[in-house]
Amino acid sequence: MQLFFILSLNCHASFAVAGPKVWVLIEEKVIWILDTTDISEKPGQAETTLIEEFLAHGFDVVDSAMVRKNIIQAKGLRALAGDQQAVAAIGLEHGAQFSVAGTAVAKFGMAGIAGSNMKSVHATVTARIIRNEDAAIIASSSASATVPHLDEIQGGALAIQKASRRLADKLIAQFRAVTDHETRSGRIITLRLNHVSTYSRLESVLSTLEKNIPAVESAHLDTFTTGTAVITVRYRGESRDLASSLAHKNFSGFRLEPTHMTPGS
């Protein structure tokens, strides 16, 4: 993740810091003997179940139906096909910090189980959690379930629901492991400062990072040429929090004004 700043004499930026928010988008297909039903145009059983599970675990979840209405068709199809950059872009557009994207497939299995009219339906749900600010995959897994039922459509829904609950447990466990580790050890963020007129101002920024922002584990100057400085920071928190902290610091004779964030390391 790169943060871009401009050194300014009188500018000030403020940021609102929200809790973790996710949006969920699952392409769902139900495959029977004669045809395939694609129900990805609206939230299916997998998407609904994953949303329920994330809400139950304390996540703030974006209304997926609203997101679907706003997705440009081409971008939506790329996202469902596995373009994590497109997924991240859509998530950011709707205020989500993380995206959960994947596929769910239910297939008709065996008929006449043990001489009865019961049918077996098998479902597999696969998804990944993407951190939207840098489009990094921080969790990925799949889960399967088989359900016997008299009606293959209802059985398919139940199988997808069962597999989705199993998948949610796996994804949330991975998510917490990664975020807990980053909280303890910090993550690498690159700061790019433009219009740095003097080295003393650069030293002031470095000193502030190292001494006055508690979540900063370390800060190292990588390059400083023609008024542009690149600093590598190990930070225990979100990049937006670091940007906000720097924007609110009172430097002598100048302020830092964050301009934008881009994926990168």
Side-chain angles (χ1 to χ4, degrees):
M1 168 58 61
Q2 292 188 355
L3 300 181
F4 289 74
F5 289 81
I6 291 178
L7 290 182
S8 173
L9 293 177
N10 54 14
C11 293
H12 177 72
S14 62
F15 297 80
V17 180
K21 179 181 287 189
V22 303
W23 78 288
V24 183
L25 186 65
I26 305 295
E27 180 185 20
E28 192 162 311
K29 294 182 183 293
V30 181
I31 303 174
W32 305 130
I33 294 176
L34 298 178
D35 62 2
T36 298
T37 302
D38 184 346
I39 55 176
S40 63
E41 293 181 358
K42 60 182 180 179
Q45 184 63 61
E47 192 167 306
T48 300
T49 302
L50 286 171
I51 288 172
E52 291 173 353
E53 291 298 308
F54 276 87
L55 285 170
H57 284 80
F59 288 80
D60 186 7
V61 181
V62 174
D63 181 355
S64 66
M66 176 195 70
V67 176
R68 284 174 179 273
K69 287 179 62 177
N70 295 333
I71 290 177
I72 299 172
Q73 185 65 17
K75 184 185 288 186
L77 290 174
R78 285 199 302 272
L80 290 172
D83 185 343
Q84 65 201 56
Q85 295 284 347
V87 170
I90 295 168
L92 288 174
E93 287 175 8
H94 293 84
Q97 294 167 275
F98 302 93
S99 297
V100 183
T103 59
V105 179
K107 296 181 179 181
F108 177 76
M110 184 184 299
I113 300 175
S116 70
N117 292 324
M118 301 285 282
K119 308 174 182 68
S120 69
V121 184
H122 181 79
T124 299
V125 185
T126 302
R128 61 205 185 280
I129 299 179
I130 299 166
R131 185 168 53 215
N132 293 332
E133 67 176 9
D134 58 1
I137 296 174
I138 63 171
S140 180
S141 192
S142 64
S144 300
T146 301
V147 171
H149 206 281
L150 290 171
D151 181 86
E152 59 264 29
I153 295 178
Q154 293 184 35
L158 290 172
I160 289 175
Q161 181 185 63
K162 189 174 182 179
S164 298
R165 294 198 190 284
R166 292 174 175 173
L167 176 62
D169 289 340
K170 294 180 179 181
L171 290 175
I172 291 170
Q174 289 183 38
F175 174 88
R176 287 178 172 164
V178 170
T179 53
D180 287 349
H181 174 74
E182 289 182 347
T183 298
R184 292 192 304 270
S185 61
R187 42 194 295 228
I188 298 298
I189 297 175
T190 301
L191 305 182
R192 187 179 299 273
L193 280 65
N194 298 318
H195 309 306
V196 184
S197 59
T198 64
Y199 190 77
S200 62
R201 288 186 172 183
L202 179 57
E203 286 185 321
S204 178
V205 174
L206 285 167
S207 177
T208 296
L209 285 167
E210 294 171 342
K211 300 176 181 179
N212 300 116
I213 302 179
V216 171
E217 292 291 324
S218 62
H220 302 288
L221 176 63
D222 293 333
T223 61
F224 178 43
T225 56
T226 61
T228 298
V230 177
I231 301 172
T232 297
V233 179
R234 182 172 290 277
Y235 184 72
R236 291 180 286 104
E238 297 288 335
S239 57
R240 72 178 72 185
D241 297 343
L242 177 58
S244 181
S245 295
L246 289 171
H248 285 86
K249 291 297 180 183
N250 292 318
F251 295 96
S252 178
F254 70 96
R255 291 181 183 271
L256 286 180
E257 179 184 350
T259 56
H260 61 285
M261 304 180 188
T262 63
S265 58

